[in-house]
Amino acid sequence: AQSVTQLGSHVSVSEGALVLLRCNYSSSVPPYLFWYVQYPNQGLQLLLKYTTGATLVKGINGFEAEFKKSETSFHLTKPSAHMSDAAEYFCAVSDSGAGGTSYGKLTFGQGTILTVHP
Amino acid sequence: DTGVSQNPRHKITKRGQNVTFRCDPISEHNRLYWYRQTLGQGPEFLTYFQNEAQLEKSRLLSDRFSAERPKGSFSTLEIQRTEQGDSAMYLCASSLGAGGPSSFTYEQYFGPGTRLTVT
């Protein structure tokens, strides 16, 4: 079974400040990890993903995340927040398929609402 | 590539009525997923299709729910005898899976969702 915990349901930062959204996962097999962003009344848009290889992954809109296996974490960061970053962010894990049945279904965290103040 | 589309975007229905939602995936994608998202929560997996075959269903999918994907193209999700607890956003996603059902799958692309309100 897989699970995701996002620490902090709400995060508030000033424009230009560092954004840090925390995600910890649990998985019995090598995971694939994802961050999605959701704007009000819209679907989810993929920001970035980790599958294999380099543990620091870069995504769209200046976001990046680092996979730390020892800490079972996949925190999302952005050096300088912009007003347009205000949205809800979801961390998700899927089974990589190694050694078992995988349909690629995603298990999501509960989400973190990011507010950016001018 | 026009992305994943879902219709209708909003549906208001009275308790006890049946509703049907449609999802049109990205045309070359062979995998299709349905998720449900309630207020303040992350999406939860409902069911998965590989082409036209429904390969997995969540325990969340009670016998009032049925999903189909005829000919491996669009998919429909029907809810019979709706209850107020069915009020949620229903999201569809598609992806391109390489090889068989147990193989690595590429990232999922989500549609805008159908928001269901049961009164």
Side-chain angles (χ1 to χ4, degrees), chain B residues 6 33 57 68 88 91:
Chain B
Q6 292 187 246
Y33 307 81
K57 293 194 294 185
E68 295 182 338
L91 295 165

Side-chain angles (χ1 to χ4, degrees), chain A residues 1-7 21-35 50 55 65-76 91-93:
Chain A
Q2 298 175 308
S3 66
V4 173
T5 301
Q6 291 183 239
L7 299 175
L21 305 182
R22 300 178 186 274
C23 171
N24 289 90
Y25 71 91
S26 172
S27 178
S28 57
V29 296
Y32 288 163
L33 294 159
F34 306 82
W35 275 99
Y50 168 79
T55 56
E66 186 172 10
F67 170 61
K68 292 187 176 181
K69 184 178 179 181
S70 61
E71 298 177 8
T72 61
S73 69
F74 191 57
H75 301 329
L76 181 71
C91 181
V93 61

